[in-house]
Amino acid sequence: MSKKFKTDFELYVIDKVRDRRNELGLSQDDVAFFLDTDRSFIGQVESPKTPVKYNLNHLNILAKELKCSPKDFMPDSFIL
């Protein structure tokens, strides 16, 4: 059995950010630029095999840059 590095909630948020990034035709490099980091960080965030994830400040910056609300990255109801 493999170790789970991210919760279902974290994976949901990461997927929503990725979906929005793809809708706008942006790359991982673009997101890395917004967050003043490198593409490998974004790759690690988007991989379920690492514990790396966005923090609340990242989500706030990304919402601004991706022209949406931070709440657009959150589920409408609880994820257990």
Side-chain angles (χ1 to χ4, degrees):
M1 183 165 88
S2 65
K3 182 176 180 181
K4 191 170 182 180
F5 288 104
K6 295 175 180 142
T7 66
D8 289 342
F9 180 83
E10 292 163 338
L11 291 169
Y12 180 93
V13 171
I14 291 165
D15 287 345
K16 286 301 205 177
V17 172
R18 182 190 305 113
D19 290 347
R20 182 67 180 156
R21 170 176 74 75
N22 288 330
E23 284 174 19
L24 297 175
L26 299 173
S27 68
Q28 288 182 343
D29 287 317
D30 296 321
V31 173
F33 177 78
F34 300 149
L35 298 179
D36 193 27
T37 188
D38 57 56
R39 193 207 56 77
S40 66
F41 173 78
I42 306 306
Q44 290 176 7
V45 168
E46 292 187 359
S47 171
K49 298 177 182 179
T50 70
V52 180
K53 53 199 131 205
Y54 296 122
N55 65 37
L56 292 175
N57 291 321
H58 292 146
L59 295 176
N60 188 51
I61 292 166
L62 289 172
K64 178 183 175 201
E65 296 295 338
L66 301 179
K67 298 176 179 38
C68 62
S69 169
K71 68 181 180 180
D72 292 333
F73 303 134
M74 305 295 164
D76 292 332
S77 60
F78 295 106
I79 296 177
L80 300 176

